Amino acid sequence: QVRLVESGGGLVQPGGSLRLSCAASGSIFSISTMGWYRQAPGKERELVAFITGTYSTNYADSVKGRFTISRDNAKNTVDLQMNSLKPEDTAVYYCYYRHLITNTQYWGQGTQVTVSS
């Protein structure tokens, strides 16, 4: 059982920055991936970025060069630094944790990010 709590969302102007944080508690394993999805109204869920237990990262093409994902295995946290934000980045962002051994995935409740002038 894993609980995930996101924070850091809010309203920001185009070109601005936000840092999302996700804190995990419960049975946490290093053989896992953690990352972020986002979903805008009327659109399907999109994988934004993920990071493995050995700190390998992957990003969606739409956010490459602007977003940076990081992970602290000791603190059981994963962050998403978002720079040069665009209106199309507006969405609810969901943190996830996936244990690769059991193939079990957990989700946070989401945090709203709105990019608007």
Side-chain angles (χ1 to χ4, degrees), residues 18-22 32-37 47-60 63-72 77-83 93-97:
L18 284 174
R19 187 177 183 89
L20 305 183
S21 296
C22 176
S32 63
T33 60
M34 298 185 70
W36 297 85
Y37 282 87
L47 178 61
V48 177
F50 69 84
I51 184 168
T52 70
T54 53
Y55 308 105
S56 179
T57 60
N58 204 301
Y59 299 90
V63 306
K64 285 182 179 178
R66 300 188 297 119
F67 291 11
T68 302
I69 191 169
S70 60
R71 176 175 183 166
D72 188 331
T77 59
V78 60
D79 292 352
L80 185 68
Q81 178 66 46
M82 305 185 295
N83 299 326
Y93 285 70
Y94 298 90
C95 174
Y96 77 89
Y97 164 93

Side-chain angles (χ1 to χ4, degrees), residues 1 15 17 27-28 33 42 58 60 64 66-67 86-87 91 105 108 110 112:
Q1 187 70 257
S17 298
S27 184
I28 309 301
T33 60
N58 204 301
K64 285 182 179 178
R66 300 188 297 119
F67 291 11
K86 304 174 181 179
Q105 189 160 307
Q112 176 71 49

Side-chain angles (χ1 to χ4, degrees), residues 12-14 115-117:
V12 65
Q13 297 184 40
V115 184
S116 176
S117 60

